Amino acid sequence: MSNQTVSPGALLAGRYRIAELLAEIDGARVWRAVDEVLSRAVVVDVLPVGDPRTNLLFDAARRAAAAADPRFLRVLDCDMHDGVTYCVREWAGGRPLERMLGSGPLTGQQAGWLAREVSEALENLHRTGHAHGSISPATVVVTDAGAIKVVGLATEAALRSTGPGSPEQDVRALGELLYASLTGRWPGPAPAWGLQPAPVEHGRLLSPRQVRAGVPRSLDDISDRLLSNPPRHHAPPITSAAGLSAALSGVVGSSHEPPSQMDETVAIARQNGSIDDATQVVPPTPPAVDPTPSAYQSNGQDQQRAAYATAPQTRPVRRQAPPPSNGNGHRRRADEPKPKGSWGGRILILLAVLALLSVVAMAQFLLKGGLNNEQGTGSEDGGTTTAPQTSGPPSATGSAVTIAGAKDFDPKPDGNGEEHPDEVPNTYDGKASTTWTTMSYSRANLGGQKPGVGIVYDLGEPTAVSKVSVALVRDGTSVELMVPKGDTSKSPAASSGWTAVATEEDQPEGTTVLTPSQPTETRYVMVWLTKLPKDDKGGKFRGEISEVTIQR
């Protein structure tokens, strides 16, 4: 088998069914494929017979496999078959930053958050003494769920024969990525990644704020400390991923939730003195997310739309002091005398009247109670009748429970440990258009490999659960509501630690209500799929949930 004979439909190594060509890098080919053993999509790098990069790719795969940060896509397999070297990696469903920037720059909050996520992943990697070696807008992907994935750890550099790289080179590349995200221009002398070069003045790169109005000064300073030599205003340079993570966390915070607009960036930056008090940045319209799935894309290989719509240019707006008012909604002239009296005095008088009325009402209540005690409330047999006792308002039932967190559940050895974990938040984000999907299986009973897959929901504390509504996609799903056996304050790691309290089989598309046969109080509940509907697109079987609502 040669590189040329690896084509769509071919079965590589008796396991990986080649689907489509994604990119070609100096003779190496990058394919989307299906792992027919585990029924999941993967990416396969293929080198032709005798390619001198074979040993480099094997070494890179070993280094990549040791990376523990979930933001790096894992290397799953690397071997030779019929002389062809192949490396199998996780599939990234989403949009590369390269495509996103094709529609325009990001907002300040988005750019800062994205760079911070990548810098945190690199910080963890650099502690092990290794580097990515090829950070670029093509190797940073925003998934359909909004999470960040970094593609091609070590392997991308091996395919491009650029060497393993160094932590310092990674940080410099991340500075270029941040600059491009803020401005939509590439900080280099020539066009790159579909972007025109950034302007230069007197041999010095213009800062992001000089290129695009509205860039927060805090992010402008960080970009300058990454790329300028030396930085402006005698600021210390940023040369490590740890230093960059700390600087960006001080601007955009430390949340891993994807941002929608830059209001928080402006507020935090103003508190830090990074934005002039005399100006405020008008936040742009929140970005629109393109729901069309995509995979690994290389430069110039895919013309699908970017994940975010073009971010409009922001502009500083001079704040003006509000005009003096005379209290009636009309502007008071400078020479107009202030009216006698004030609202403050009137309010004090009103409060005094209310206090007097309260005293009178209390006196009447006590007087009436004393008279009742003198008259007695005896019954005909001389006993006394006890007044009915009233309790406070009963706890609300039927109200929605706030979900504190959730994670996919596909424990080993039956499962492979995960079922699209990045998509789990889609099931309780209040949006019917976003979904969580299982992996694809050859049969409705999950290929006979396992009893089921599901999602565990953490309610934060033991909570009475009356019913759980699950919005299913496609007809033919069987679903169960599970709670932990024994101690319901702990989430069992094995499926044998859960027990079903409600079951619905062969459900049609729409909302299925799971009602426990008896009152259930638990901190954790699991929605467990035991039979999957057929996927119309690929002929496989795949479960899909759009929303889950848990009620007291």
Side-chain angles (χ1 to χ4, degrees):
M1 180 178 288
S2 68
N3 195 8
Q4 286 70 31
T5 60
V6 176
S7 58
L11 187 63
L12 180 63
R15 177 172 182 171
Y16 306 108
R17 183 71 65 182
I18 302 299
E20 64 174 324
L21 181 65
L22 300 176
E24 188 163 356
I25 304 173
D26 298 333
R29 293 183 177 180
V30 182
W31 297 91
R32 180 176 66 82
V34 176
D35 181 350
E36 294 197 337
V37 173
L38 297 179
S39 298
R40 62 179 177 184
V42 293
V43 174
V44 182
D45 301 323
V46 178
L47 292 177
V49 176
D51 192 291
R53 292 169 290 182
T54 295
N55 291 334
L56 293 176
L57 186 59
F58 278 131
D59 180 64
R62 283 190 289 268
R63 285 185 280 118
D69 195 290
R71 284 164 288 207
F72 290 118
L73 292 181
R74 296 179 301 166
V75 171
L76 306 174
D77 188 11
C78 193
D79 207 344
M80 295 184 69
H81 177 70
D82 289 346
V84 170
T85 303
Y86 66 90
C87 183
V88 182
R89 298 184 278 114
E90 284 184 298
W91 167 269
R95 297 293 179 277
L97 180 62
E98 176 189 2
R99 292 296 163 211
M100 293 163 56
L101 295 181
S103 295
L106 307 184
T107 67
Q109 180 74 5
Q110 290 165 352
W113 173 82
L114 184 147
R116 196 214 63 215
E117 287 287 298
V118 179
S119 67
E120 285 185 357
L122 290 176
E123 179 183 355
N124 297 331
L125 176 67
H126 292 168
R127 288 197 186 102
T128 68
H130 299 303
H132 183 283
S134 191
I135 292 292
S136 73
T139 57
V140 175
V141 174
V142 180
T143 70
D144 298 332
I148 296 298
K149 292 292 185 181
V150 182
V151 177
L153 169 58
T155 59
E156 185 84 5
L159 294 178
R160 297 184 183 276
S161 302
T162 57
S166 66
E168 292 76 17
Q169 290 172 337
D170 280 352
V171 175
R172 171 75 186 189
L174 189 49
E176 295 172 338
L177 187 148
L178 175 61
Y179 188 102
S181 298
L182 291 170
T183 65
R185 307 290 287 272
W186 186 250
W193 311 110
L195 303 176
Q196 292 299 312
V200 176
E201 187 175 53
H202 304 301
R204 189 182 183 95
L205 182 71
L206 294 185
S207 73
R209 279 172 66 92
Q210 293 175 306
V211 176
R212 179 183 175 223
V215 172
R217 180 166 294 173
S218 53
L219 294 178
D220 186 80
D221 292 341
I222 291 173
S223 176
D224 184 67
R225 292 169 61 193
L226 286 165
L227 298 179
S228 292
N229 186 22
R232 294 173 173 84
H233 314 301
H234 306 288
I238 297 176
T239 58
S240 70
L244 178 56
S245 298
L248 289 171
S249 295
V251 176
V252 300
S254 57
S255 172
H256 295 291
E257 292 296 320
S260 59
Q261 51 188 351
M262 66 181 298
D263 293 347
E264 296 178 11
T265 300
V266 176
I268 296 173
R270 183 174 289 115
Q271 292 173 5
N272 295 340
S274 301
I275 292 182
D276 295 336
D277 289 336
T279 64
Q280 62 181 0
V281 176
V282 180
T285 305
V289 178
D290 181 358
T292 307
S294 180
Y296 178 103
Q297 293 107 354
S298 180
N299 190 20
Q301 294 296 322
D302 190 352
Q303 299 300 323
Q304 295 183 359
R305 293 176 295 168
Y308 293 91
T310 304
Q313 296 283 336
T314 56
R315 55 186 178 86
V317 177
R318 182 68 57 176
R319 295 187 299 183
Q320 298 180 354
S325 172
N326 61 10
N328 296 319
H330 302 292
R331 183 179 299 179
R332 177 168 50 84
R333 299 190 309 272
D335 58 348
E336 180 181 344
K338 294 182 179 180
K340 295 182 179 181
S342 67
W343 280 106
R346 298 175 189 176
I347 291 174
L348 289 176
I349 295 173
L350 179 60
L351 291 176
V353 172
L354 291 175
L356 179 60
L357 292 175
S358 299
V359 172
V360 172
M362 180 62 70
Q364 290 178 340
F365 174 79
L366 294 175
L367 179 60
K368 183 176 180 181
L371 291 175
N372 287 340
N373 288 336
E374 291 177 3
Q375 294 172 358
T377 56
S379 61
E380 292 181 359
D381 60 358
T384 59
T385 304
T386 303
Q389 299 293 319
T390 60
S391 61
S395 59
T397 59
S399 59
V401 178
T402 299
I403 297 174
K407 62 180 296 185
D408 59 315
F409 190 82
D410 185 25
K412 298 178 179 180
D414 296 329
N416 66 350
E418 64 177 40
E419 290 275 331
H420 293 151
D422 294 336
E423 297 178 356
V424 170
N426 293 345
T427 64
Y428 58 102
D429 61 0
K431 302 175 183 177
S433 60
T434 59
T435 65
W436 168 78
T437 59
T438 69
M439 298 294 185
S440 296
Y441 295 87
S442 58
R443 297 193 298 275
N445 64 344
L446 294 93
Q449 303 172 24
K450 59 190 80 173
V453 295
I455 300 176
V456 176
Y457 294 93
D458 181 3
L459 309 184
E461 60 183 2
T463 305
V465 176
S466 65
K467 63 180 178 180
V468 175
S469 301
V470 183
L472 301 170
V473 179
R474 293 186 299 279
D475 297 340
T477 305
S478 292
V479 57
E480 295 181 350
L481 177 62
M482 310 276 277
V483 298
K485 294 179 181 177
D487 187 358
T488 59
S489 65
K490 296 181 180 179
S491 177
S495 57
S496 59
W498 297 82
T499 183
V501 295
T503 301
E504 297 292 343
E505 297 182 352
D506 296 317
Q507 294 300 292
E509 182 173 40
T511 300
T512 292
V513 178
L514 297 165
T515 304
S517 56
Q518 58 184 5
T520 301
E521 183 170 295
T522 178
R523 174 176 174 175
Y524 296 94
V525 297
M526 179 164 66
V527 175
W528 184 243
L529 305 184
T530 58
K531 181 181 178 183
L532 309 180
K534 191 170 185 179
D535 187 345
D536 298 332
K537 296 180 180 178
K540 298 285 187 176
F541 292 85
R542 181 168 58 94
E544 189 167 1
I545 296 174
S546 62
E547 281 297 310
V548 170
T549 304
I550 302 172
Q551 292 180 273
R552 290 183 176 86

